[in-house]
Amino acid sequence: MTTSETQSAHLASHLVSDDRLLSALLDGMDAALFAVDTGGRVTHWNRRAEQLLGWSREQAVGRDGLGGWAVRDADAADVRDQLLGVLRPEAGADARQAQEFPLLRRDGGRVLVRAQTTAVRGADGHPTGVYCAFSEVHAQLDLERNLALSEALLADSSWAVLITDADLRTVAANEQAARALGVTAVDMLGEPLAEFFGPGIEELESALEHTLAGQAPDVPVELWLTLLDDGSDDDGFGVPAPPAGGPRRCLLSGFLRLGTPLTSEPAPLGVAWVFQDVTRSRRVARDAARRAFRDGQLSRAARAAGECQDPMEAAVLHLHYALAGFAEHALLDIAGKAPGLVRIAESPGTFPGAAAPPGVAVRYRPGHPALQALERGVPVRATGGVARSGWAVEHRWPKEAEHALCVVLRSRGRGLGVVTFLRGAGRRPFDRADAAYGEDVALRVAAAVDMGRLAGAC
């Protein structure tokens, strides 16, 4: 034997035969499959077909047709015609047909299958047989329903749907999701969610990670997320956008773990995040609850003040009640005989390093928000923020103050002084609704101060 012949024989011994390779491929398929020759004799029967019908390969291969065992005798002729129909000349060279017919399980039960039959041709182009891939109609319908549901969610759903992979990168988003986030679906593909959200992204990523681990929230959750700045100065509800990002949204969210059914141990493919933007309704509900609480505080303060013999005590009581859920500190300054303002009271008490003890003039610099409010007769809002560490001290306020609301005290057409409300770190700036509430409190405080002046108490 020559060297080349020896090498060829050695190589041939390591090659997998076509039959063994075909058998391995057929058994590895997830679809049930069998093949017949041009005469209808069964030539191949894979493992999935064994599992579905109960007939083993040894029992199936070599049988002349399916009648009497895998098909009832009454149905055998019709099933045979359907299988071999792709071999007819009128079917075409690349014939492929979808059909439905009943098969018999080994235990005698019948199962309706949806099958796809395809002609097998030899090297000369002549037909050599037919292979048939099939599955239960109900399983196929379930698959089609799932596909239809997926398409509907991504196309026609009134809910926003965003799908991430296991690395929390966006792989699909429907039009509603893209519109809610202010981007296009194409811009989101392959991008991490942190590219689109600011504050609140930690809660979203935590929910996604728990869902991947099989611990999805049992009920829809409300996530407050700040969209990254889209260039707008307003969030569409009359509230200025946060300085660190864009509009803040409340998204009612549900999370679904996506896993592949093609493995014995389902591997996570990602997460479907289904959400609705409920910002407007939540803000309306929150504002209504806040108004109801504040109205209740005003009513309680009025009842408590009605029991006070000293009008100035009543004024301070109004400040105490107003602070609940509204601010951390309140300062009451009234206009004296000399120019400027005199500190009368503070709530909840004198703070360390106070600008002036009660009864002493407060040396506010020109242009101070309290002086502006007194001069203009309208509320003045001011914000320093953490970037200006000396801002509060410069204004002669507690050093932890970051937001201020100064409201003029008016009674009988005269400006009697100013009440200043202060908020610290972690609180939002005062808005227009806060200013309106501050004016309601100031009206009651001004009436008490005016009564005190008439009585000579101040």
Side-chain angles (χ1 to χ4, degrees):
M1 181 180 293
T2 64
T3 303
S4 60
E5 291 174 338
T6 302
Q7 291 175 342
S8 297
H10 180 71
L11 178 61
S13 66
H14 290 79
L15 292 177
V16 178
S17 68
D18 289 345
D19 288 343
R20 291 176 61 190
L21 178 59
L22 178 59
S23 178
L25 290 173
L26 293 179
D27 283 340
M29 294 179 64
D30 291 294
L33 183 143
F34 67 88
V36 298
D37 61 18
T38 55
R41 185 176 63 88
V42 179
T43 59
H44 296 84
W45 191 269
N46 76 347
R47 186 168 298 165
R48 186 72 184 98
E50 291 183 13
Q51 296 170 350
L52 184 60
L53 299 178
W55 301 99
S56 68
R57 181 186 292 107
E58 291 75 16
Q59 293 171 317
V61 174
R63 285 183 180 260
D64 186 14
L66 303 178
W69 62 286
V71 173
R72 291 194 313 173
D73 289 331
D75 300 325
D78 182 56
V79 172
R80 178 188 175 91
D81 288 344
Q82 291 188 63
L83 287 175
L84 301 182
V86 292
L87 300 179
R88 298 189 184 102
E90 59 269 22
D94 298 321
R96 180 174 295 181
Q97 297 178 358
Q99 301 149 342
E100 290 184 5
F101 48 77
L103 294 178
L104 283 178
R105 294 192 181 96
R106 188 180 179 187
D107 60 10
R110 298 181 71 195
V111 55
L112 183 64
V113 301
R114 180 169 294 180
Q116 181 172 285
T117 57
T118 306
V120 180
R121 300 184 181 276
D124 57 0
H126 290 88
T128 60
V130 175
Y131 75 77
C132 174
F134 65 96
S135 62
E136 287 190 79
V137 167
H138 295 301
Q140 182 70 19
L141 290 176
D142 286 343
L143 175 61
E144 292 178 4
R145 289 191 190 100
N146 290 338
L147 292 175
L149 174 61
S150 300
E151 292 180 0
L153 285 174
L154 290 174
D156 305 323
S157 174
S158 60
W159 286 71
V161 181
L162 185 146
I163 299 176
T164 70
D165 60 17
D167 295 323
L168 304 188
R169 292 182 178 272
T170 307
V171 296
N174 67 357
E175 183 179 347
Q176 288 81 353
R179 185 165 56 246
L181 304 182
V183 296
T184 66
V186 175
D187 291 338
M188 301 184 71
L189 293 181
E191 297 294 337
L193 293 175
E195 294 290 327
F196 309 101
F197 296 107
I201 183 62
E202 297 83 2
E203 290 79 3
L204 173 58
E205 290 181 338
S206 176
L208 292 170
E209 289 168 355
H210 277 79
T211 302
L212 281 172
Q215 301 172 357
D218 295 331
V219 296
V221 296
E222 293 183 5
L223 296 177
W224 281 92
L225 295 162
T226 299
L227 305 184
L228 290 186
D229 193 2
D230 59 357
S232 65
D233 296 326
D234 188 276
D235 69 352
F237 298 92
V239 179
R248 194 163 178 253
R249 293 281 181 257
C250 181
L251 304 180
L252 182 63
S253 305
F255 300 91
L256 304 172
R257 184 176 185 266
L258 305 180
T260 175
L262 303 181
T263 59
S264 57
E265 293 293 334
L269 295 177
V271 176
W273 173 29
V274 184
F275 63 92
Q276 272 191 333
D277 190 336
V278 294
T279 310
R280 183 180 295 277
S281 62
R282 294 302 183 269
R283 282 189 170 159
V284 168
R286 183 190 64 187
D287 291 345
R290 183 170 59 185
R291 284 195 299 270
F293 174 76
R294 289 178 176 178
D295 289 345
Q297 289 297 100
L298 290 175
S299 178
R300 284 189 286 271
R303 289 196 297 270
E307 301 298 323
C308 297
Q309 294 184 359
D310 183 357
M312 296 311 299
E313 181 184 352
V316 175
L317 265 179
H318 280 291
L319 295 184
H320 286 328
Y321 277 92
L323 287 182
F326 182 65
E328 282 81 38
H329 215 91
L331 310 176
L332 178 58
D333 303 324
I334 65 171
K337 296 180 180 180
L341 294 170
V342 176
R343 177 65 43 79
I344 295 300
E346 299 173 12
S347 182
T350 303
F351 57 86
V360 176
V362 186
R363 297 189 302 276
Y364 288 142
R365 59 175 176 76
H368 190 280
L371 299 179
Q372 291 184 39
L374 184 62
E375 179 183 351
R376 300 175 185 175
V378 295
V380 175
R381 290 175 281 167
T383 293
V386 295
R388 299 174 59 185
S389 58
W391 175 81
V393 176
E394 292 172 2
H395 286 78
R396 311 189 76 79
W397 291 329
K399 63 180 181 180
E400 65 272 12
E402 291 190 6
H403 313 292
L405 170 65
C406 298
V407 186
V408 65
L409 302 175
R410 294 191 64 81
S411 180
R412 294 188 295 160
R414 295 176 298 127
L416 303 182
V418 176
V419 59
T420 301
F421 299 100
L422 300 172
R423 287 177 178 170
R427 298 288 297 273
R428 60 178 178 81
F430 291 96
D431 57 22
R432 289 193 294 272
D434 295 329
Y437 177 63
E439 288 184 298
D440 286 341
V441 175
L443 284 174
R444 290 159 171 78
V445 174
V449 170
D450 195 19
M451 185 181 298
R453 283 190 165 182
L454 291 175
C458 63

